[in-house]
Amino acid sequence: MELHLIDGAGKNFVFPVNPEEIKINRGKGIETVNIVRFGEFDYPSGEKVKEITFSSFFPIEPDTYCVTQNIPKPQEAMNLLTTYTVSKQPVRFIITDTFVNNLVILSVHDTTFRGGEPGDVYFDLTMRTWREPVVHTKAGATKAATTKNGTTASTAVSRPDTKKTPKTYTVKSGDSLSKIAKLELGNSAKWGAIYALNKSTIGPDANKIKPGQKLVMPT
């Protein structure tokens, strides 16, 4: 079994010493509502982000307990974990021979130096599994997609246009606004509503409409 961290640039970091145990914390979000006279009620609100925690160390020299003899320098390995911790981009965490293969954010990185073991660096590490956020905008929706190397990219998601196209009527020879109102709206008395919408097209005299003019109909 090996523990790998792979960043967005494809850099593959292998932890040289396997931890004694790896703890994966799973939970469900609970929203508690307090109703007067009835007390508290719990409502599930979805799965919480998984937390992965383990402890190990970076040895100054390779030994038989190392999963690889090509071990990093402890100070450089510690600095790399610190870089991943402060970064806003997720990295991929893989445990070989298991089903663990997740994008994660390194949330906590504690370092310990022990007397009598000069050069070795001990650490406690906490990771939180990464979820892809979806952000909606007025013009449309933007969905965050994760690329193969672990970085995120935004892709536009089209939103259907629910705006109704106004109905128009093309004036014919012999038409009048009252005739058009009777034909299109079922009531000749609504000619004023047509005129109000099309005054800039018709002009100051409602009786002087011309064949070929396109008039917007009231909804």
Side-chain angles (χ1 to χ4, degrees):
M1 183 177 75
E2 293 181 355
L3 280 63
H4 295 252
L5 282 178
I6 304 174
D7 62 20
K11 180 180 177 63
N12 184 6
F13 175 79
V14 181
F15 289 90
V17 181
N18 283 339
E20 291 185 4
E21 63 178 11
I22 301 171
K23 183 178 179 182
I24 301 177
N25 181 276
R26 299 176 178 85
K28 179 182 291 185
I30 300 293
E31 181 179 356
T32 301
V33 178
N34 195 329
I35 302 177
V36 178
R37 295 177 55 195
F38 294 100
E40 292 185 343
F41 292 85
D42 288 338
Y43 295 92
S45 58
E47 183 184 11
K48 284 186 176 180
V49 172
K50 296 183 183 71
E51 280 195 345
I52 304 171
T53 59
F54 62 89
S55 302
S56 187
F57 73 101
F58 299 122
I60 189 66
E61 296 289 346
D63 207 326
T64 55
Y65 47 72
C66 295
V67 298
T68 174
Q69 296 302 298
N70 184 24
I71 65 172
K73 294 181 179 179
Q75 191 69 40
E76 293 179 357
M78 183 181 67
N79 291 341
L80 180 63
L81 291 186
T82 301
T83 299
Y84 290 159
T85 302
V86 300
S87 172
K88 295 182 179 180
Q89 295 298 323
V91 293
R92 184 164 295 280
F93 178 58
I94 299 174
I95 305 177
T96 61
D97 301 324
T98 73
F99 292 106
V100 177
N101 185 337
N102 300 99
L103 286 174
V104 298
I105 291 290
L106 276 62
S107 58
V108 179
H109 171 215
D110 294 329
T111 303
T112 304
F113 299 94
R114 297 181 180 178
E117 300 181 43
D120 292 349
V121 177
Y122 288 77
F123 66 89
D124 301 302
L125 194 61
T126 300
M127 308 174 186
R128 291 170 62 86
T129 51
W130 171 262
R131 289 181 179 174
E132 299 174 9
V134 177
V135 179
H136 296 280
T137 63
K138 290 183 179 179
T142 302
K143 180 179 180 181
T146 304
T147 61
K148 290 182 179 179
N149 61 12
T151 59
T152 56
S154 296
T155 56
V157 180
S158 61
R159 187 176 287 180
D161 185 5
T162 57
K163 197 178 201 178
K164 291 184 178 179
T165 303
K167 183 180 179 181
T168 60
Y169 176 86
T170 302
V171 178
K172 302 179 180 61
S173 179
D175 278 344
S176 66
L177 289 184
S178 58
K179 180 179 178 181
I180 295 171
K182 177 66 175 177
L183 179 66
E184 294 295 318
L185 307 178
N187 188 344
S188 59
K190 292 184 178 180
W191 68 268
I194 300 176
Y195 181 60
L197 283 175
N198 300 276
K199 190 171 182 179
S200 60
T201 301
I202 298 171
D205 191 343
N207 294 314
K208 293 184 178 180
I209 60 175
K210 300 174 183 178
Q213 289 178 327
K214 287 187 178 294
L215 306 181
V216 178
M217 295 292 102
T219 55

